[in-house]
């Protein structure tokens, strides 16, 4: 097989970096963004630039706002948008996506593949492409300016899952030279539930809404996760773990997870966060459209609560945060987010869900 | 009748000011505080001092930590503690209070008289003193140092209620020379429900818990009541009004109430607050033991939600704030606050409640 052709959907920090890395490795890359002004700016640049962990410059073969043009001829479609935009992406590619194209959601969030597949069906897609979801974006990065991404951190291993589950191994093998970070997970429940981004993103943002609204910057983790806020997170995390348990999925609670990832000593969440060097100096969101307040609620808290409700697991703290954020932002997150209905899980038992994702 | 003798319970800003004003007007005054160190400090002072709207110096006849000694021989017992301490005050005076003593709760908060009467009964009090509740403290003031209160604002009219309701008029008449501000209300539901202090105190504090925990001062109303926080208050206030309506009590919603009290123009809560000159520069609580986070939740939000639940009125926003504050502070506010059980209202219909308070 000749070298893959990639389509990268979303020219944010990670999509830009992804396209530079792929191009630098010699692959053909098309880059798409729905923001036409951004596309025009990117097209005018001589090269796109990565600094930090990756120092490289490259220009994609095509930069476009046209999704169909972007994915045309690509073997691998790397979706690098925020996860709450996955429905829109699925609708945009439904008519032109091919059976043999592979779609990878970077990341998928809870129910990523299920949601994307349902959105394709909803848009009358006639083919059944292989869809994978990553448990996380493979790099930590941020936009310095349009076309310039600072690559701040490398994640050595990212879980990859698909439906049927065995497809994840096939895709990880296929891409092992270009993306050795992908490690097959047992199924999409493992990738979807291992994140818990709602815990560290949605909850602190809701509890720091005063500063975000007033555009008063704060050290996100160090100032934002006060002892009280940590108590709310701990209560919500217990509920998240209870939902995982009811699903039969073993997931590490947040505190031991952070302790093992970052090698932290303290036995309570507040002190653990305070002792976490990589958490120092992280900037806070300056507006409520930030992904911490949008996709992490829509694609993590909402499906967690929705699955919990279906399986009879009470999630009062998570429900409270969703309701409070809905009031604060004047947006019905519980309705707009990934409910069991949108994931095609409504009315299913734990056993039926497992069968679906095997 | 000779000049009244007063007992003032609670030597905070308002109790101190109350005792100075009464003493200056020539009445006998005993002042009590449960804080023995504060009592010792007060006793050593030559005089207690008021500045601001009241410029006066005086010393009570007795300053004591002994409640029985304080109320001994008093005609009028002015309770000037935080309202969440009323149960303790009732227990402390239950053995020695006399049938002909008049107790005035300054203020009572929702269910003040009911709660105080039940606490007296619970402590096996053998007599049935007349108990009144004021809708608010009659002056705005703050402590400059122990024994020195700054009197910042005068409230021309304060509603006074009792059970039976007709007693309020008797007490207001009796005290018209010394406290012309007292205006009889139709019953304790009117005084209790007209405050809404939970709206402007508990909710903004919960939504600014990050700053309070970090001891980052803020302009309480101007910075604390962001547009988002105002949306939460508006949702909660609708629930409060629905509870009042279910009780058959007509209460003005917060926005028109503030507009009429302060002569404000804007038609939305956020802009109204921002335009309210007396709200500028009010200091924020520097810890979670502040009365805004304690008594206003225990004695306003909790009974509002509890009565609502009993009458079938949903109060999801108020419930959410109570639950969130309970998590944040590690204290079960819904249980410790004034429930319908503590107010002796459990299982009663609107009609039965009205009969109780007439």
């Amino acid at each position: 097989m000749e070298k893959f052709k990639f389509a990268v959907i979303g020219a944010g920090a990670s999509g830009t970096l992804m396209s530079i890395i792929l191009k630098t490795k010699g692959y053909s890359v098309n880059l798409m963004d729905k923001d036409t002004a951004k596309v025009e700016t990117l097209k005018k640049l001589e090269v796109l630039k990565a600094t930090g962990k990756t120092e490289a410059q490259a220009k994609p073969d095509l930069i476009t706002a046209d999704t169909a043009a972007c994915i045309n001829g690509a073997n691998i479609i790397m979706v690098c948008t925020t996860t709450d935009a996955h429905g829109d992406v699925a609708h945009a590619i439904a008519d032109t996506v091919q059976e043999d194209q592979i779609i990878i959601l970077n990341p998928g969030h809870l129910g990523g593949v299920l949601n994307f597949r349902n959105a394709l069906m909803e848009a009358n897609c006639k083919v059944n492409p292989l869809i994978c979801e990553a448990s996380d974006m493979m790099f930590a990065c941020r936009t310095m300016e349009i076309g310039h991404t600072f690559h701040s951190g490398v994640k050595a291993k990212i879980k990859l899952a698909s439906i049927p589950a065995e497809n994840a191994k096939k895709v990880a093998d296929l891409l092992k030279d270009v993306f050795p970070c992908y490690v097959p997970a047992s199924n999409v429940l493992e990738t979807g539930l291992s994140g818990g981004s709602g815990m560290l993103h949605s909850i602190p943002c809701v509890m720091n809404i005063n500063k975000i609204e007033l555009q008063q910057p704060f050290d996100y983790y160090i100032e934002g996760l006060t002892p009280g806020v940590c108590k709310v997170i701990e209560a919500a995390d217990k509920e998240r773990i209870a939902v995982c348990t009811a699903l039969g999925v073993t997931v590490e609670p947040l505190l031991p997870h952070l302790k093992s990832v970052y090698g932290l000593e303290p036995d309570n969440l507040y002190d653990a966060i305070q002792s976490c060097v990589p958490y120092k100096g992280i900037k806070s969101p300056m507006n409520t459209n930030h992904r911490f307040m949008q996709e992490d609620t829509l694609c993590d808290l909402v499906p967690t609560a929705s699955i919990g409700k279906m399986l009879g697991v009470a999630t009062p703290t998570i429900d409270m945060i969703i309701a409070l954020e809905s009031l604060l932002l004047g947006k019905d997150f519980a309705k707009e987010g990934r409910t069991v209905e949108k994931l095609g899980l409504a009315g299913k038992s734990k056993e039926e869900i497992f069968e679906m994702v095997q």
Side-chain angles (χ1 to χ4, degrees), chain A residues 176-248:
Chain A
K176 67 177 186 298
D177 291 335
V178 53
F179 294 127
C181 58
Y182 285 143
V183 178
S186 45
N187 58 48
V188 293
L189 297 176
E190 189 185 335
T191 44
L193 289 163
S194 64
S197 58
M199 301 297 121
L200 289 177
H201 295 166
S202 306
I203 297 175
C205 283
V206 167
M207 298 307 301
N208 284 278
I209 188 72
N210 54 350
K211 292 181 179 176
I212 295 171
E213 284 191 285
L214 294 170
Q215 300 199 295
Q216 294 174 339
F218 57 100
D219 196 323
Y220 182 74
Y221 288 96
I222 304 306
E223 284 189 282
L225 278 77
T226 62
V229 174
C230 285
K231 283 185 201 158
V232 179
I233 294 172
E234 285 168 322
D237 197 52
K238 274 189 193 149
E239 296 167 8
R240 177 178 78 97
I241 298 303
V243 172
C244 294
T245 304
L247 266 177

Side-chain angles (χ1 to χ4, degrees), chain A residues 194-196 199-200 225 230-231 233-238 240-241 251-276 279:
Chain A
S194 64
M199 301 297 121
L200 289 177
L225 278 77
C230 285
K231 283 185 201 158
I233 294 172
E234 285 168 322
D237 197 52
K238 274 189 193 149
R240 177 178 78 97
I241 298 303
V251 168
E252 214 174 20
L254 185 61
L255 178 60
H257 175 71
L258 293 177
K259 287 179 70 167
S260 87
V261 169
Y262 294 107
L264 311 175
E265 293 294 331
D267 276 324
N268 70 77
L269 185 61
Y270 174 73
D271 289 325
I273 298 278
Q274 294 292 318
S275 75
C276 184
Y279 276 172

Side-chain angles (χ1 to χ4, degrees), chain A residues 4 8-9 58 74 88 94 100 116 118 229 247 257 263 267 272 278 280 297 308 331 349:
Chain A
F4 302 121
V8 176
I9 312 272
D88 291 341
D100 61 354
F116 203 93
N118 282 8
V229 174
L247 266 177
H257 175 71
D267 276 324
K280 291 190 200 301
T297 302
K331 170 172 175 168
S349 67

Side-chain angles (χ1 to χ4, degrees), chain A residues 81-102:
Chain A
T81 64
T82 57
T83 54
D84 54 329
H86 285 178
D88 291 341
V89 173
H91 280 253
I93 69 172
D95 287 343
T96 53
V97 68
Q98 303 294 313
E99 182 84 22
D100 61 354
Q101 289 184 309
I102 294 171

Side-chain angles (χ1 to χ4, degrees), chain A residues 267-320:
Chain A
D267 276 324
N268 70 77
L269 185 61
Y270 174 73
D271 289 325
I273 298 278
Q274 294 292 318
S275 75
C276 184
V277 175
Y279 276 172
K280 291 190 200 301
I282 303 289
K283 288 182 184 168
S284 59
M286 291 299 275
N287 65 69
T288 58
N289 283 325
H290 194 278
R291 66 186 176 87
F292 282 13
M293 298 203 78
Q294 296 290 336
E295 63 171 331
D296 288 312
T297 302
L298 294 165
C299 307
D300 188 60
L301 292 191
V302 170
T304 302
S306 184
I307 293 171
K309 191 175 180 189
M310 186 176 78
L311 297 179
V313 179
T315 56
T317 311
I318 296 175
D319 295 347
M320 181 167 74

